[in-house]
Amino acid sequence: MKRVMSLVLFVALLLTMFVGTPVQAQNEDYDTDLTYESNPEVTSNLDEIKEKISELQRRGYIGDESSLNEINLPGQQQASYDNVELLAETYVLVGLDTDTNKTIDIDQLILDNGPSDTEKPLNLVFYTLKITDFIGNPNTTEADFVHSAAVTSALGCCSFPKDYTINSSVYQSTDGTIYAEFAKKIETVKIREDVNIVTRINTTFYWKSDATAYANFKDASNLAASGTEGPFLLNKKGVKYPEYTDNNSKLVLTKPASTTWTKGNIGCGLTPTERIKYRDYYDTSYGSITWVDNLGRVKYEIHHIRPCNYGGTNIYDNLIPLPYDFHRKVVTPWWSSY
């Protein structure tokens, strides 16, 4: 009986060493205490735009009564969803000389001292165009890609436009390099009115978008502002491909080169011996990491960047260590809806 128990313990130890994923680790959530970049927060240049407007106010080009709080309006389309994931938010500030109908260099204008009291005031108008891309109902079969654009402010002197014409487009790509226009909308709207393109997501694609706004006066229509956003790689449930850089080796979880890989039955999983060889290779090349802690809990798993069932291989360029929870809860679910 003692021999049988010893044999069982010995086999369990071998499984822990070679397979690298103890049985108990598959059914528990662990705080791995590992830092990694996964879906970093969406950045916005709103503060930068507000700072420029404040400088224009200080130099006398914009009146003090102008409200900076209006710049980040509107966003009515987002309110129509119970759940929203913001992909990008971009503000474009453009200055227009209404005497010549030409755009001006705002950065250079800020470097100047501003008009003196004896000079004729410059007939300048400043526009802010807000472009937003987000996912409505993310991680569901009813996920929408929403591209929204609006002129949110017109500041300065003299006459202001009666309305604006916004030209918006959404583009898709299967490889992230060649994009085709998928949807387009041209609408004439008042200030702070959204122009939205809503597209149901049911296939994995790379996405990009752009918007151009024209200021419509009584006798002319002038370019106000334009901007682009993307690319975003989204699976068929509207989940963004996870971003990850290994802090130790600086290896990157690269995006797939195609969104049309066919799922097959090709297997390329690492054997226990191959797994140990890769760990040794990694530790020797980049410095050792804790693959399994002293309690037998898995800290890192070896991930195939191009999964085996989508044509991936065991070459080391296709392998990257990922934190256990990140691998199981973020990366694997993304590929499940590829």
Side-chain angles (χ1 to χ4, degrees):
M1 185 64 180
K2 290 183 179 179
R3 288 185 177 180
V4 173
M5 291 297 295
S6 298
L7 180 60
V8 171
L9 291 174
F10 179 71
V11 171
L13 178 62
L14 285 179
L15 286 173
T16 299
M17 294 174 57
F18 287 93
V19 177
T21 305
V23 174
Q24 68 269 23
Q26 298 181 13
N27 298 316
E28 296 182 20
D29 296 332
Y30 294 122
D31 180 3
T32 57
D33 298 325
L34 301 172
T35 58
Y36 52 86
E37 288 293 322
S38 171
N39 291 329
E41 291 185 5
V42 176
T43 58
S44 173
N45 62 337
L46 177 59
D47 290 340
E48 176 188 346
I49 296 299
K50 285 186 174 182
E51 182 177 342
K52 287 185 177 182
I53 291 176
S54 295
E55 282 296 313
L56 292 170
Q57 287 177 332
R58 189 172 67 85
R59 298 176 189 280
Y61 294 109
I62 297 176
D64 292 336
E65 71 278 3
S66 303
S67 174
L68 293 177
N69 294 327
E70 295 178 348
I71 298 170
N72 60 335
L73 300 174
Q76 299 95 328
Q77 188 68 32
Q78 296 188 39
S80 64
Y81 295 96
D82 294 331
N83 191 15
V84 166
E85 181 177 349
L86 186 63
L87 296 174
E89 182 179 82
T90 303
Y91 292 84
V92 183
L93 176 65
V94 174
L96 178 70
D97 185 335
T98 58
D99 286 339
T100 62
N101 292 330
K102 293 182 179 180
T103 57
I104 58 175
D105 187 336
I106 293 178
D107 291 330
Q108 184 60 49
L109 199 65
I110 291 176
L111 291 176
D112 296 337
N113 292 324
S116 66
D117 294 336
T118 59
E119 291 178 332
K120 178 185 176 181
L122 297 174
N123 297 329
L124 303 181
V125 177
F126 302 90
Y127 306 95
T128 53
L129 173 67
K130 178 183 179 182
I131 306 174
T132 307
D133 286 342
F134 68 89
I135 304 300
N137 302 324
N139 201 22
T140 71
T141 56
E142 297 182 349
D144 290 333
F145 179 89
V146 183
H147 171 59
S148 178
V151 176
T152 57
S153 70
L155 310 169
C157 74
C158 317
S159 61
F160 292 101
K162 59 185 180 67
D163 52 35
Y164 302 85
T165 298
I166 296 180
N167 187 337
S168 292
S169 296
V170 171
Y171 307 86
Q172 292 179 337
S173 172
T174 58
D175 61 7
T177 58
I178 301 175
Y179 285 82
E181 188 176 65
F182 177 76
K184 185 180 184 68
K185 182 177 286 188
I186 302 176
E187 287 188 8
T188 299
V189 294
K190 298 295 184 181
I191 192 168
R192 289 186 287 278
E193 286 184 358
D194 282 318
V195 173
N196 299 298
I197 296 178
V198 182
T199 303
R200 179 57 51 89
I201 302 172
N202 50 33
T203 305
T204 301
F205 275 117
Y206 285 88
W207 299 74
K208 290 175 69 174
S209 67
D210 62 31
T212 302
Y214 297 88
N216 301 322
F217 295 88
K218 181 179 179 181
D219 301 319
S221 180
N222 301 315
L223 176 65
S226 62
T228 62
E229 290 185 329
F232 316 106
L233 174 56
L234 308 174
N235 67 13
K236 62 185 179 182
K237 286 188 176 181
V239 178
K240 187 179 178 182
Y241 186 77
E243 298 181 25
Y244 175 81
T245 300
D246 179 46
N247 289 333
N248 189 54
S249 65
K250 306 307 177 185
L251 294 174
V252 176
L253 181 65
T254 54
K255 296 180 176 64
S258 173
T259 64
T260 60
W261 285 335
T262 302
K263 190 172 185 179
N265 296 320
I266 302 174
C268 67
L270 297 172
T271 65
T273 300
E274 290 172 333
R275 187 175 294 110
I276 290 176
K277 285 184 177 180
Y278 178 78
R279 289 179 178 179
D280 290 341
Y281 158 80
Y282 178 95
D283 291 345
T284 301
S285 301
Y286 307 111
S288 299
I289 60 175
T290 303
W291 297 90
V292 181
D293 67 14
N294 55 8
L295 296 179
R297 300 180 304 185
V298 175
K299 292 291 187 178
Y300 285 95
E301 293 186 311
I302 302 171
H303 171 68
H304 290 76
I305 298 175
R306 179 171 181 171
C308 293
N309 55 355
Y310 286 105
T313 67
N314 288 336
I315 61 172
Y316 285 2
D317 284 346
N318 192 45
L319 303 178
I320 184 173
L322 296 180
Y324 179 88
D325 278 355
F326 178 63
H327 188 207
R328 297 293 181 100
K329 296 180 180 180
V330 179
V331 178
T332 298
W334 191 92
W335 280 102
S336 297
S337 297
Y338 171 78

